[in-house]
Amino acid sequence: AARAQAAEVVDCEPSKYCALVAKDMVFNNEMGGRIKVVQKPVNQLQVGVDIAAPAQVLVLENIDDTLVGAGLVDALEYARAVLLAADATIIPAHAAIYAMGVDFTVGQAAGFDLAAFDAFRREPLVESVLLRDEEYRPMTDVVEVFRFDFRESIREETKRVALRAIADGNLNGIAFWFVLHLDEETTFSTGPEN
């Protein structure tokens, strides 16, 4: 945005340390007159104080492994209500969360019996893994769980989905991932193929 001669570019960094690093990067890239770093959470920004006018573009970067767990929805709703122009572009534009049942059973590796570790697979936890680096077996079809259009208000909802079995065996995990549509042409996926 700064290189495209935007009138104002504001980086909102709630972390003191991230804000300091961002300010250094802005300086080191000779963008000091074009990018302003504000050290506060997005829900404390104010038009006329932190940004000169309602923003024309919002880039959401507070996306965690679950897509919406890092306060993304609250930040987006606040920005839409307080900080954005009515016709603002939001990046990413939309996203979808997918899931499938899997078997993560360890069993054996390199000729060693590691089945005792499978007891840990029964713990109800969320663990970030790169599926491409894990040995697993798909046990169900892939289903779309949620779809978000970030240009519209996002409401909290609970949804029950059916997973259709495609293999016999031990289903001991639910793998989920998301696909971000940055715009109508560009996507980013955290899925098994990536």
Side-chain angles (χ1 to χ4, degrees), residues 53-72:
Q56 295 295 320
V57 177
L58 172 66
V59 179
L60 298 168
E61 59 82 31
N62 56 332
I63 296 171
D64 68 358
D65 294 343
T66 67
L67 179 63
V68 294
L72 177 108

Side-chain angles (χ1 to χ4, degrees), residues 124-138:
L125 58 88
V126 174
E127 182 179 347
S128 295
V129 298
L130 292 173
L131 284 176
R132 70 167 186 250
D133 296 340
E134 296 289 323
E135 286 190 37
Y136 69 93
R137 193 165 58 108

Side-chain angles (χ1 to χ4, degrees), residues 96-100 142-147 175-179 181:
I97 297 176
Y98 297 90
M100 75 173 160
V142 173
V143 297
E144 182 178 286
V145 180
F146 290 107
R147 178 166 290 276
F176 68 92
W177 61 92
F178 57 85
V179 176
H181 298 268

Side-chain angles (χ1 to χ4, degrees), residues 153-175:
S153 184
I154 297 173
R155 60 184 164 76
E156 188 174 319
E157 74 178 279
T158 301
K159 185 175 181 183
R160 189 177 294 251
V161 295
L163 297 172
R164 187 181 71 82
I166 60 170
D168 291 332
N170 183 26
L171 189 152
N172 59 13
I174 303 293

Side-chain angles (χ1 to χ4, degrees), residues 42 55-60 75-76 79-80 84 88-92:
V42 69
Q56 295 295 320
V57 177
L58 172 66
V59 179
L60 298 168
L76 178 58
R80 190 180 293 107
L84 298 181
T89 298
I90 299 173
I91 303 169

